[in-house]
Amino acid sequence: MSHVGYYCLMAVDRDHVLRSAAALLTHKATATLDEVARAAGISRATLHRHFAGREALVRALEALGIEECEAALDAARLEDGPAADAVRRLVRELEPAAGLLSFLYTENQLFEGEEQNEGWARLDERISALFRRGQLSGEFRIDLTPAWLTEALFGLIASGAYVVLSGRVAPKDFHHMIAELMLGGALRTESAEEPRNEES
Amino acid sequence: MSHVGYYCLMAVDRDHVLRSAAALLTHKATATLDEVARAAGISRATLHRHFAGREALVRALEALGIEECEAALDAARLEDGPAADAVRRLVRELEPAAGLLSFLYTENQLFEGEEQNEGWARLDERISALFRRGQLSGEFRIDLTPAWLTEALFGLIASGAYVVLSGRVAPKDFHHMIAELMLGGALRTESAEEPRNEES
DNA sequence: CCCACGTGAGACATCAATGTCTCATTGCAG
DNA sequence: CTGCAATGAGACATTGATGTCTCACGTGGG
C-alpha cells in the first residue's frame, strides 16, 4: 500500500499551497479562493480538498505564522547575552515570516472572535519576558512597558514588511531599520551605542 | 426656501455618520452596512442616501482621515523648533485620528488599486521633510531613511491605537509610548535626553 | 390645514464568493 | 495492461452582502 507516499505528498503539497497563499494574501488580502488556488498552481477543487474553506485556510496560515515565530524565538536564544543583541537576533530570525505576519496582523477576523489561538499569547509572553529582562538588567528604559514594546515590535515588523514590499526600502536594510529604530530610536546619541552596523 | 437648513442638516449628519462608521469599523473592519447604519442611529436606506455604497463610504473615510491628518500636521507646526519636539507635537495632534488611521492602514483595498488618493503622498512628504530636517540639524541619526521613519511612525500609531483599544495600555500613555519609543528607542541612555516626561 | 421632504421599514433583485457535486483525464503502481 | 487515486474543469445551488425600489409615517413650514 502507498500510504507513506500518499501522506508525504499531501504534506509537501499542503505546505507549498500554504506558502503560496501567504505570499499572495500578503499583498492582496481580499484575493479570491480561485486566485489563491491559481497562485499555488492548483485548481479551486484541489484547494478545497486541502482546506475546507477560507476560514480554514486563514486558520492554517495563522498556525503556520505562530509556528514560524516560535521557531524564530527558539533560534534567537532570547535568554542569552545582552538583551539588545537578543532583540537584534530576534528581528533577523523573524524576517522570513515578516510578510506572513503582516497579513495576519491585518486579518482582525482572528482577534475579534471569542476564541483566539493561544499561540499569540505564548509569543507575547516570551517576547515580553525578553524586554522585562532587559529592563531588570538596566539595558532598557523602564517607562515603556514590555507589553507595549512587544506590540511595537510586531507593528514595526509589519510596517517593515510593507515598506519593503512597496519597494521604498531595500530588503537588505530590513534588520537594521527595525532593530535599530526599536532599540535606539530616531535621535542621534553621543554614546557609541548603535552607530556600528552593516548599513548599506 | 429652506436650502440653508437643508445643506446644514445634511452636512452635520454626514459627518456624524462618518465618525460613527469610523469608530465601528476601527474595531470591526468587516462590519455590514446595516451594522454601520445602526451604529450611526440611522437606517440602511438613509445610509445609502449619504454614501452610494461601501466603496464610497470607505473613500469618504479615507478623505476624512487625510483631512484630519493634514489638520494635525498644521497644528503641530513641524517647521518650528527642535525636530524632536515637533515629533512629540505631531504624535499628540495625531492621537484623535489614530483609530481611524489604524482602520485605513489595514484597508489595503485603498493602496492596491491603480489610483490612490494623492493625499497620502502629501502627508508622507511633509513628515519625511520633518525627519530630513532633523537629520540635517544633527538631531536625528542618518542611517535610517526619512521614508522608513515616516512609515514607522504610522505603524507605531496604528499599533498604539490597537493596544489602547484592546485595553492593554491606558489611553493617557498614548503620546509618551509612541513619541518616546520613536525618538529614543528601547535602550536606556545616560544622556539626560528623554527621562523627563509625564509618565503615569 | 396641507404639502413637501426626509426618513424607516421592508420587499425584491442582483452579484460575487463560496460550498458541493459530477465527470473525464492523467499518472503511477502492481 | 489495468485499476486506483488525485487532479482539473466546470456545472449548479447556496449564501450573504449589497443595490434598488416602493410605501407609509411624521414633522415642519407655508
Side-chain angles (χ1 to χ4, degrees):
Chain A
M1 64 182 71
S2 61
H3 276 176
V4 174
Y6 168 74
Y7 282 126
C8 173
L9 221 69
M10 290 296 284
V12 64
D13 267 347
R14 183 187 153 98
D15 192 76
H16 169 241
V17 169
L18 224 36
R19 291 184 187 280
S20 302
L24 174 59
L25 291 173
T26 289
H27 67 275
K28 185 172 182 185
T30 63
T32 296
L33 288 188
D34 200 273
E35 299 176 274
V36 172
R38 298 306 169 94
I42 62 176
S43 70
R44 195 164 69 94
T46 302
L47 175 64
H48 210 272
R49 285 178 192 116
H50 284 311
F51 305 98
R54 191 188 193 83
E55 171 80 10
L57 177 64
V58 172
R59 290 293 171 183
L61 284 171
E62 181 185 32
L64 177 64
I66 290 174
E67 186 182 328
E68 294 201 342
C69 279
E70 295 196 316
L73 294 218
D74 292 338
R77 309 183 319 279
L78 300 188
E79 294 80 11
D80 295 358
D85 289 338
V87 169
R88 292 191 178 92
R89 289 195 301 269
L90 177 57
V91 172
R92 186 173 299 267
E93 295 293 337
L94 239 24
E95 179 174 8
L100 178 53
L101 280 180
S102 178
F103 162 67
L104 294 174
Y105 195 80
T106 67
E107 196 73 1
N108 37 26
Q109 293 291 81
L110 298 175
F111 306 103
E112 73 191 15
E114 61 292 340
E115 62 172 87
Q116 60 195 41
N117 197 315
E118 78 284 356
W120 296 119
R122 273 204 307 273
L123 291 171
D124 261 49
E125 178 46 39
R126 289 179 68 181
I127 300 179
S128 290
L130 167 62
F131 286 118
R132 214 174 302 120
R133 177 167 81 84
Q135 289 181 330
L136 289 177
S137 74
E139 279 183 276
F140 293 165
R141 53 202 288 185
I142 62 171
D143 60 325
L144 300 177
T145 67
W148 162 240
L149 292 174
T150 302
E151 193 67 30
L153 179 59
F154 277 111
L156 286 180
I157 287 176
S159 295
Y162 174 72
V163 77
V164 164
L165 197 71
S166 75
R168 277 173 292 169
V169 165
K172 63 188 294 297
D173 293 334
F174 185 85
H175 324 286
H176 181 258
M177 283 186 336
I178 294 173
E180 299 310 319
L181 177 59
M182 184 77 206
L183 291 171
L187 285 178
R188 188 173 167 195
T189 60
E190 316 315 318
S191 59
E193 192 67 86
E194 85 295 309
R196 67 106 173 78
N197 51 54
E198 72 283 23
E199 48 104 355
S200 186
Chain B
M1 61 182 74
S2 61
H3 276 177
V4 172
Y6 169 75
Y7 282 126
C8 174
L9 221 67
M10 291 296 282
V12 66
D13 266 349
R14 183 188 153 97
D15 193 74
H16 169 241
V17 170
L18 223 36
R19 291 185 188 279
S20 303
L24 174 60
L25 291 174
T26 289
H27 67 275
K28 186 171 179 184
T30 63
T32 297
L33 288 188
D34 199 273
E35 298 177 274
V36 172
R38 299 305 169 94
I42 61 176
S43 70
R44 197 163 68 94
T46 303
L47 175 64
H48 207 270
R49 285 180 191 113
H50 285 310
F51 304 98
R54 191 186 192 84
E55 171 80 12
L57 177 62
V58 172
R59 290 293 172 182
L61 283 171
E62 181 184 31
L64 177 63
I66 290 174
E67 186 183 326
E68 295 203 340
C69 279
E70 293 194 316
L73 294 217
D74 292 338
R77 309 183 321 280
L78 300 188
E79 294 81 10
D80 296 357
D85 290 337
V87 169
R88 291 192 179 92
R89 289 195 301 268
L90 176 57
V91 172
R92 186 173 300 267
E93 295 293 339
L94 239 24
E95 179 173 8
L100 179 53
L101 281 179
S102 178
F103 162 68
L104 294 173
Y105 195 80
T106 68
E107 196 74 357
N108 37 27
Q109 293 291 81
L110 299 175
F111 306 103
E112 72 192 14
E114 60 292 339
E115 61 173 85
Q116 60 195 43
N117 197 313
E118 77 285 354
W120 296 120
R122 273 204 308 274
L123 291 171
D124 260 50
E125 178 47 38
R126 289 179 68 183
I127 299 180
S128 290
L130 167 62
F131 286 118
R132 213 176 302 117
R133 176 168 81 84
Q135 289 180 330
L136 289 176
S137 75
E139 278 184 276
F140 293 164
R141 52 202 289 185
I142 60 171
D143 59 326
L144 301 177
T145 66
W148 163 238
L149 292 174
T150 301
E151 193 67 30
L153 179 60
F154 276 112
L156 286 180
I157 286 176
S159 296
Y162 174 71
V163 78
V164 164
L165 197 71
S166 75
R168 278 173 292 170
V169 167
K172 64 187 294 294
D173 294 334
F174 185 85
H175 326 286
H176 181 257
M177 283 188 335
I178 294 173
E180 298 310 319
L181 177 59
M182 184 77 207
L183 291 171
L187 285 178
R188 189 172 166 198
T189 60
E190 316 314 317
S191 59
E193 191 67 87
E194 86 293 312
R196 67 106 172 78
N197 51 58
E198 72 283 23
E199 48 107 354
S200 185

